[in-house]
Amino acid sequence: MLALNRPAIGKTLPTENSTLVLFNNIFNQAKYANLHTASSEFYLSEDEKLVVALCNLARFDGHAFIREILLPAGIDTSKLDFQGMICKLKSTRNLPPLMPAYSLHKTALSHAKDMGLTGDSGHISSKGLNFEQRISQYFPNHAGFAENFHLGSGEPLDIVLSFLSNKHNSGIYRDNILSANLHYIGVSIQPHRNSCSDAVIDFARKPKMLPATSASTSKRKKTEAYFMDCPKGRTFDNPGKKQGFSLFKLFSRRN
């Protein structure tokens, strides 16, 4: 767990909520509010929502991440582990925020629980599936995928900093968070048998746009539903197609 010097702000809450107390007010500011893209996702915990917001702040303005997050938290940015992170953050700006997708949360949740129960780590499930095989069960095969995993502290900032630093895969996890080619995110933080907790972040690219033919339009709608999905089972109509008035439809509704 990273040693964070977090001053108390507002009401006194339990230690595990200290990060929420310290940083949630940042995303209430107008200039950062649109980065809290998972704030209304009821299936996510508050910690999981904050992981998404912190990733989005690093994408939107690396200097602001240093100024608003690292310095108030008392992070020693001179440490060797953080040098590559600081350099990358200073050159990162105006990447679009990652949008939450329920299907990505489901695959992240499944793998996080699997690792927690077995005590394993890595991208291979207990059934021998890699992350691309696991995610493609929910998403179309032509989409691009990536995955980060973390063992240790379940604090949102600890999780995000472990990815942004050089502690994992020589910066690959950092590149996943700061990639302009990844657009959707799913997060799950779960207890782990051999560690305090584990966290899994799954990413996906936007689906490729297909020609506007009748067959491909139907296929595209099904593809887009993966990325706009909702646990309530909402239907997805083509917003560009206007439904005209029809006497047949009007009278056919009558009993």
Side-chain angles (χ1 to χ4, degrees), residues 105-127:
H105 165 70
K106 287 191 293 185
T107 188
L109 173 64
S110 175
H111 189 52
K113 283 188 172 181
D114 187 30
M115 287 197 299
L117 289 172
T118 61
D120 292 336
S121 63
H123 298 287
I124 306 299
S125 73
S126 59
K127 295 181 180 180

Side-chain angles (χ1 to χ4, degrees), residues 152-238:
S153 165
E155 287 270 358
L157 182 57
D158 293 336
I159 293 168
V160 174
L161 285 185
S162 74
F163 294 147
L164 291 176
S165 68
N166 286 326
K167 292 185 176 181
H168 295 292
N169 291 357
S170 301
I172 293 176
Y173 285 0
R174 177 174 62 213
D175 293 341
N176 289 342
I177 290 177
L178 303 180
S179 173
N181 296 319
L182 295 170
H183 311 95
Y184 295 91
I185 186 171
V187 181
S188 182
I189 304 171
Q190 299 296 323
H192 190 273
R193 181 183 296 274
N194 299 324
S195 299
C196 178
S197 64
D198 68 80
V200 176
I201 302 183
D202 285 332
F203 304 89
R205 183 182 303 201
K206 286 182 179 179
K208 295 178 180 178
M209 297 305 294
L210 301 173
T213 64
S214 57
S216 64
T217 297
S218 176
K219 184 177 180 180
R220 184 173 69 248
K221 286 171 62 177
K222 291 179 180 179
T223 299
E224 289 172 346
Y226 284 100
F227 297 89
M228 301 169 62
D229 56 0
C230 173
K232 295 180 181 179
R234 185 179 59 172
T235 59
F236 298 93
D237 296 321
N238 185 350

Side-chain angles (χ1 to χ4, degrees), residues 30-196:
K31 59 182 176 179
Y32 300 133
N34 65 329
L35 303 179
H36 211 341
T37 54
S39 61
S40 299
E41 304 300 306
F42 67 87
Y43 53 85
L44 295 177
S45 69
E46 293 303 313
D47 282 342
E48 290 164 346
K49 293 175 183 179
L50 188 54
V51 167
V52 177
L54 290 171
C55 290
N56 282 337
L57 180 59
R59 290 167 62 88
F60 174 71
D61 189 340
H63 281 278
F65 187 89
I66 297 170
R67 181 179 66 253
E68 303 281 2
I69 303 297
L70 299 186
L71 296 182
I75 301 298
D76 183 1
T77 58
S78 66
K79 289 184 177 180
L80 185 61
D81 285 345
F82 293 150
Q83 288 305 295
M85 175 186 71
I86 297 299
C87 182
K88 184 67 174 181
L89 285 173
K90 287 182 177 179
S91 63
T92 302
R93 192 172 179 83
N94 292 330
L95 291 176
L98 296 164
M99 302 303 294
Y102 180 62
S103 288
L104 281 177
H105 165 70
K106 287 191 293 185
T107 188
L109 173 64
S110 175
H111 189 52
K113 283 188 172 181
D114 187 30
M115 287 197 299
L117 289 172
T118 61
D120 292 336
S121 63
H123 298 287
I124 306 299
S125 73
S126 59
K127 295 181 180 180
L129 301 178
N130 63 32
F131 72 87
E132 290 185 330
Q133 292 170 319
R134 287 186 281 101
I135 299 175
S136 64
Q137 295 179 74
Y138 298 94
F139 286 81
N141 291 327
H142 66 263
F145 307 123
E147 182 174 79
N148 293 4
F149 82 89
H150 161 84
L151 296 182
S153 165
E155 287 270 358
L157 182 57
D158 293 336
I159 293 168
V160 174
L161 285 185
S162 74
F163 294 147
L164 291 176
S165 68
N166 286 326
K167 292 185 176 181
H168 295 292
N169 291 357
S170 301
I172 293 176
Y173 285 0
R174 177 174 62 213
D175 293 341
N176 289 342
I177 290 177
L178 303 180
S179 173
N181 296 319
L182 295 170
H183 311 95
Y184 295 91
I185 186 171
V187 181
S188 182
I189 304 171
Q190 299 296 323
H192 190 273
R193 181 183 296 274
N194 299 324
S195 299
C196 178

